[in-house]
Each structure stands twice: as structure tokens, then as C-alpha cells.
Amino acid sequence: QVQLVESGGGLVQPGGSLTLSCANVGSICRIYRMGWYRQAPGKQRESVATISNSGILNYSDAVKGRFTISRDADKNAVYVEMNSLKPEDTAVYYCNLYCPVTSGDYWGQGTQVTVSS
């Protein structure tokens, strides 16, 4: 059973940086994609960044050039380094693991990121 544990959210000033971490402490499918999504109040959940287990990266236009996603395959973990944060980055950030063979779609509990002065 996949179990995703997130950490690293918090309050940061505009222009600041945060790094979010997500570890899968359960079982894992052989081929998978991990990533980060976010949901701001009153808005739909949106993709932020994803990384496949072959290393293919995807970023939303809103974060491209500011956020960097990476993965530690040995630890079954994924990270997102967020730089030059803006107030519009404020949201609950969710870790996701997707197994395309089984169509299994798994979510972490979410971690709040607030960008405010």
C-alpha cells in the first residue's frame, strides 16, 4: 500500500524559498510518476511539477524557472525546491504518486505553503 508522507511547508516572505519533501513509506509499483500539485482557496487543484521514474520532468508555466523537482529513487522520495516565491504560490501542496500500469493514483495529506509579508 502506497503511503505518502509530506513535510516542509510553512510561512515565507515573498522572494523567499522553501523545499517540500515527500516520502513513500509503503509499497511501490515498478513504473510510476511522482509529483506535486497545489490547491489554492476557491480554485481547482493544479499540477505544479512531475517527474517520471525515467527522469522526465514537467513544470507548470506558473512555476517554470522558479521551482525544481527532484527524486531520490533509493528513498522513494520526491522533493520540490521552490525559489522566488510569490503570494500567488500560496496553497496547500499535495504529493502524488501515479502508477500507470494499475492506474493507481495516490495522494499525501497536503502541506500548507503561505507566501506573505
Side-chain angles (χ1 to χ4, degrees):
Q1 180 70 24
V2 172
Q3 184 178 355
L4 302 175
V5 179
E6 301 154 343
S7 60
L11 173 65
V12 63
Q13 292 187 342
S17 299
L18 278 176
T19 297
L20 305 182
S21 302
C22 172
N24 174 26
V25 298
S27 62
I28 197 167
C29 49
R30 189 173 64 87
I31 298 174
Y32 60 92
R33 184 189 70 215
M34 292 189 78
W36 292 93
Y37 292 69
R38 67 186 182 187
Q39 187 167 18
K43 295 187 177 181
Q44 289 189 329
R45 190 173 298 187
E46 63 177 0
S47 175
V48 174
T50 61
I51 180 169
S52 72
N53 64 336
S54 61
I56 297 173
L57 309 178
N58 276 291
Y59 294 96
S60 71
D61 288 341
V63 307
K64 201 171 293 184
R66 299 188 298 121
F67 290 14
T68 302
I69 190 170
S70 60
R71 188 184 71 235
D72 185 331
D74 291 337
K75 296 181 180 179
N76 292 331
V78 66
Y79 311 93
V80 61
E81 179 182 347
M82 306 184 294
N83 297 311
S84 302
L85 283 162
K86 305 175 182 180
E88 51 263 44
D89 294 317
T90 295
V92 177
Y93 283 70
Y94 295 91
C95 178
N96 172 262
L97 188 151
Y98 175 67
C99 300
V101 173
T102 63
S103 297
D105 205 14
Y106 306 93
W107 296 91
Q109 78 281 4
T111 185
Q112 178 71 45
V113 171
T114 302
V115 184
S116 175
S117 54

